[in-house]
Amino acid sequence: MHSAAMTASPAAARIARLRILHRSKKCRFAAVGESLQKRKSTKKNNKFFELQEQEPERSQRFLKAMYDRVPAAPNPSCPAPDRRAQRQRAPAPCHGRQGCQETAEPGFRGGGLGFTMAKFVLAGRADCPYYAKAELLADYLQKNLPDFRIHKITQHPHVWEEWLKDLCEKNKWSHRNSPIIWRELLDRGGKGLLLGGYNEFLEHAQLYYRVAPSMTTELMKVVAQENLETHIAEELEEEDQKGLINPLQVWITSASTPACYNLIPILTSGEVFGMQTEISINLFDNKQAEEYLKLLLTETRDLVSPLLRSVSFCTRVEDAFRQAHVVIILDECTDKEVYTLEDCIQSRVPLCRLYGYLIEKNAHASVRVIVGGKTFVNLKTFLLMKYAPSIARNIIAVALGVEGEAKAVLARKLKTTPSSIKDVIIWGNITGNNYVDLRKAKVYGYESAIWGLPHYSRPVLSLIFDSEWINQEFVATLKKLTTTGRQFGGILAAHSIATTLKYWYHGSPPGEIVSLGVLSEGQFGIPEGIVFSMPVKFENGTWVVLTDLKDIKINEKIMTRITSDLLQEKLVALGDLISFQPYQSETDLAKKDEKSLSTINGNQENQRDSDDSEGKTV
């Protein structure tokens, strides 16, 4: 009897403990449900309870998790639980009301949809006072709650609305004001759970953490202004860092021209931008040239240049010059037929207006624009400056093509190499009426009775004794090349553009004069407001006009000749002049009069011969 009682007592004790535990669990389950019901009635707008009503199955799983995690009431018949073991295997306790032992997701004290680590994302306009107040509250919670995480995003006021619209469309949210706060589950991924704005975040903090911020309106404005200044400083720093990582974006217009084909290998060789600078080449042209651009794209990739990060082509106008650091403007192909010189000049205006707008809108703030081609280079440069005024200083016209041709003609005359001739100055219209100035020109290493060190040079004019050749044949040869446009063939145009870019980035040779088309400010007596080729030097990433050169004053007759066409081109393009009258010197007029007179005399003689023959026939 006694042994049977001893045998049955352990089983009875276990049954009794199970009954007590079952009753305890039922009480705890009811207590949890009652607590949640009270919170639901107190905070009807709480996001958790809205989702609880919409997803009852997830709510039941939550209640079950709470049911399993709430500690049991102490039972004298059961040994006390091992608190050290509980702390080792349980997640961090909730940082809500004091004494709570339940484990909950940070930010959702005792009422989360699961027990997963989460972080809050706080995004707002950089100058928003309410963002500043929410930021202060979030920083306080993160500092005092070890498992509370906050990630902050600020946007410049100019881009905030567009950024918020894209964010809400992506996540299918509805929110219009600053700031916006949402949760992101760290181990689940997917889109975040929208909490709301500043008011919702404040209610959340008061409900779950018993924390309310204290900040005056004046302090909110001060902090908001500091946030804006910090955001701008961070943007500038980020741009500088990107410059060290991202490749140099080079855009080439009219990429189907021969000049572009010859320019690409030079750009990818590292000779222009340096052997440590990677570049991305973007080829821009119209839709009709797309097939050719694809072939050019493939051939460029086949170069396998270590400095070429990428190469692409673009035929959509709205996408042109995006993030461009360098823009190279080549001759455009116009489908419109023109019948007069005035129409030809005015046909350049719409394209330059479009390019100027796109460069200001899409290109980098410090973009450098270089203009080359066969026709109206000075005019196109001026129009780009007019329609992109914020970067007018960074728009230049290439004059090295004419300078190189002049050096080649002189070298043939002196029987030397063109590279040994320096300091030839091109004044005026690069692709029109210009003046080739040899007064500063020098030749190095010239074979003659006088020899010197490598840096020893002799004036070109002292070696050419035939002044008639200089004043007539030399001028006529260059004028013929300028008229036909032959001096801007593909190879020469590419080389002159590449050399000018190289000087722009790394500086021109010390002491050497370079010809460049820039906007006149009245230097050397040149009329203001026209793009004019003049002597410059490149240093420290920019160009400087050499106004301190001696003995280079241009006489009034030459100045009139080389400025007349440029002034008229500008007026015709802007619609201030109807008819263009090309400049004609007194010599040209005398020749024209002589030719007209000879034509009249010839016609009169022909008429007399005709009358005589008619008389004989009669």
Side-chain angles (χ1 to χ4, degrees), residues 59-265:
S59 174
Q60 292 299 322
R61 290 198 298 271
F62 159 72
L63 292 176
K64 184 178 184 303
M66 292 291 293
Y67 167 82
D68 292 336
R69 288 175 182 265
V70 174
N75 189 344
S77 62
C78 297
D82 187 353
R83 298 298 181 188
R84 181 180 302 174
Q86 285 183 356
R87 285 195 298 270
Q88 290 177 352
R89 68 174 177 266
C94 170
H95 299 281
R97 291 187 293 270
Q98 186 176 2
C100 175
Q101 298 296 323
E102 66 187 28
T103 304
E105 183 179 341
F108 280 77
R109 163 66 180 86
L113 292 177
F115 298 92
T116 306
M117 176 65 70
K119 72 174 180 181
F120 285 88
V121 181
L122 171 62
R125 202 177 65 242
D127 62 344
C128 176
Y130 291 99
Y131 172 85
K133 198 168 185 178
E135 180 186 26
L136 177 68
L137 175 59
D139 288 342
Y140 176 83
L141 293 174
Q142 182 168 250
K143 181 179 179 181
N144 291 277
L145 305 179
D147 294 326
F148 185 93
R149 295 290 179 268
I150 186 73
H151 176 67
K152 292 177 281 187
I153 302 174
T154 57
Q155 294 292 334
H156 197 279
H158 295 163
V159 301
W160 162 252
E161 292 185 0
E162 184 177 354
W163 182 87
L164 179 63
K165 181 181 178 182
D166 294 340
L167 176 71
C168 292
E169 288 180 356
K170 177 182 177 181
N171 294 282
K172 298 181 180 179
W173 293 340
S174 177
H175 192 83
R176 296 182 180 180
N177 302 321
S178 172
I180 179 173
I181 300 104
W182 71 91
R183 292 191 314 137
E184 289 184 354
L185 303 181
L186 299 181
D187 63 346
R188 292 184 183 178
K191 73 173 185 177
L193 177 64
L194 178 64
L195 179 63
Y198 167 75
N199 291 331
E200 289 78 9
F201 185 54
L202 180 61
E203 292 177 2
H204 184 86
Q206 291 174 339
L207 175 64
Y208 291 103
Y209 304 113
R210 303 282 193 251
V211 175
S214 176
M215 179 184 286
T216 63
T217 303
E218 293 299 324
L219 183 58
M220 288 169 58
K221 293 180 179 179
V222 171
V223 175
Q225 183 62 30
E226 291 179 354
N227 284 343
L228 178 59
E229 294 173 357
T230 303
H231 177 80
I232 295 175
E234 289 177 350
E235 281 186 338
L236 294 175
E237 184 180 355
E238 185 179 356
E239 288 295 327
D240 293 338
Q241 292 176 351
K242 285 181 178 179
L244 300 175
I245 301 173
N246 293 342
L248 197 71
Q249 298 291 335
V250 180
W251 282 76
I252 306 175
T253 69
S254 304
S256 58
T257 58
C260 176
Y261 185 85
N262 292 279
L263 181 61
I264 290 175

Side-chain angles (χ1 to χ4, degrees), residues 449-466:
I450 302 175
W451 282 79
L453 297 174
H455 62 270
Y456 174 75
S457 64
R458 299 180 64 183
V460 169
L461 292 178
S462 67
L463 299 174
I464 300 177
F465 304 102
D466 190 355

Side-chain angles (χ1 to χ4, degrees), residues 149-434:
R149 295 290 179 268
I150 186 73
H151 176 67
K152 292 177 281 187
I153 302 174
T154 57
Q155 294 292 334
H156 197 279
H158 295 163
V159 301
W160 162 252
E161 292 185 0
E162 184 177 354
W163 182 87
L164 179 63
K165 181 181 178 182
D166 294 340
L167 176 71
C168 292
E169 288 180 356
K170 177 182 177 181
N171 294 282
K172 298 181 180 179
W173 293 340
S174 177
H175 192 83
R176 296 182 180 180
N177 302 321
S178 172
I180 179 173
I181 300 104
W182 71 91
R183 292 191 314 137
E184 289 184 354
L185 303 181
L186 299 181
D187 63 346
R188 292 184 183 178
K191 73 173 185 177
L193 177 64
L194 178 64
L195 179 63
Y198 167 75
N199 291 331
E200 289 78 9
F201 185 54
L202 180 61
E203 292 177 2
H204 184 86
Q206 291 174 339
L207 175 64
Y208 291 103
Y209 304 113
R210 303 282 193 251
V211 175
S214 176
M215 179 184 286
T216 63
T217 303
E218 293 299 324
L219 183 58
M220 288 169 58
K221 293 180 179 179
V222 171
V223 175
Q225 183 62 30
E226 291 179 354
N227 284 343
L228 178 59
E229 294 173 357
T230 303
H231 177 80
I232 295 175
E234 289 177 350
E235 281 186 338
L236 294 175
E237 184 180 355
E238 185 179 356
E239 288 295 327
D240 293 338
Q241 292 176 351
K242 285 181 178 179
L244 300 175
I245 301 173
N246 293 342
L248 197 71
Q249 298 291 335
V250 180
W251 282 76
I252 306 175
T253 69
S254 304
S256 58
T257 58
C260 176
Y261 185 85
N262 292 279
L263 181 61
I264 290 175
I266 306 176
L267 296 178
T268 58
S269 67
E271 179 184 348
V272 177
F273 304 109
M275 297 303 298
Q276 305 300 323
T277 303
E278 293 186 337
I279 65 172
S280 289
I281 295 178
N282 304 273
L283 307 172
F284 178 58
D285 213 319
N286 53 38
K287 191 72 174 178
Q288 290 76 13
E290 185 169 345
E291 290 301 321
Y292 176 81
L293 294 180
K294 291 179 180 178
L295 296 175
L296 186 58
L297 194 76
T298 303
E299 193 168 352
T300 303
R301 287 172 177 163
D302 292 344
L303 291 174
V304 198
S305 172
L307 299 179
L308 181 61
R309 177 78 68 86
S310 65
V311 57
S312 62
F313 71 88
C314 173
T315 57
R316 288 169 51 88
V317 174
E318 57 270 23
D319 295 334
F321 312 128
R322 290 198 180 276
Q323 300 301 317
H325 297 98
V326 177
V327 176
I328 302 172
I329 307 291
L330 300 178
D331 273 323
E332 68 282 355
C333 299
T334 56
D335 298 330
K336 182 180 177 181
E337 293 184 2
V338 292
Y339 300 99
T340 65
L341 183 58
E342 291 78 10
D343 291 341
C344 188
I345 292 173
Q346 292 176 351
S347 66
R348 267 64 183 175
V349 177
L351 190 62
C352 290
R353 184 191 295 119
L354 176 63
Y355 281 178
Y357 167 76
L358 292 172
I359 290 172
E360 283 221 324
K361 178 185 176 183
N362 297 337
H364 196 271
S366 59
V367 62
R368 304 183 185 191
V369 182
I370 185 167
V371 184
K374 298 180 180 181
T375 56
F376 300 107
V377 171
N378 295 58
L379 176 64
K380 290 188 293 186
T381 306
F382 166 76
L383 292 173
L384 287 172
M385 291 177 178
K386 176 178 174 60
Y387 297 115
S390 64
I391 58 165
R393 171 75 184 180
N394 280 2
I395 304 177
I396 61 175
V398 179
L400 289 185
V402 183
E403 185 179 316
E405 186 60 38
K407 291 178 180 179
V409 175
L410 291 170
R412 289 195 294 270
K413 179 66 174 178
L414 294 172
K415 294 181 174 56
T416 186
T417 58
S419 61
S420 63
I421 300 176
K422 308 293 183 183
D423 300 345
V424 175
I425 303 174
I426 307 299
W427 298 92
N429 194 344
I430 297 170
T431 53
N433 248 330
N434 52 50

Side-chain angles (χ1 to χ4, degrees), residues 14-68:
R14 284 197 298 273
I15 293 172
R17 286 198 297 272
L18 288 174
R19 288 176 178 175
I20 294 172
L21 180 62
H22 179 67
R23 287 196 298 269
S24 176
K25 288 186 175 181
K26 287 178 65 179
C27 293
R28 290 198 301 276
F29 190 94
V32 169
E34 183 181 357
S35 175
L36 292 176
Q37 186 65 29
K38 287 181 179 180
R39 292 185 184 179
K40 180 177 178 181
S41 61
T42 304
K43 292 290 180 182
K44 294 183 179 180
N45 295 328
N46 187 276
K47 300 296 179 184
F48 161 71
F49 291 111
E50 292 178 6
L51 292 174
Q52 183 182 5
E53 292 178 355
Q54 297 172 5
E55 302 184 27
E57 295 181 1
R58 296 183 69 182
S59 174
Q60 292 299 322
R61 290 198 298 271
F62 159 72
L63 292 176
K64 184 178 184 303
M66 292 291 293
Y67 167 82
D68 292 336

Side-chain angles (χ1 to χ4, degrees), residues 566-581:
L566 290 175
L567 290 171
Q568 289 190 82
E569 286 177 5
K570 173 183 173 181
L571 294 175
V572 170
L574 298 179
D576 297 331
L577 185 66
I578 299 176
S579 178
F580 182 91
Q581 297 294 333

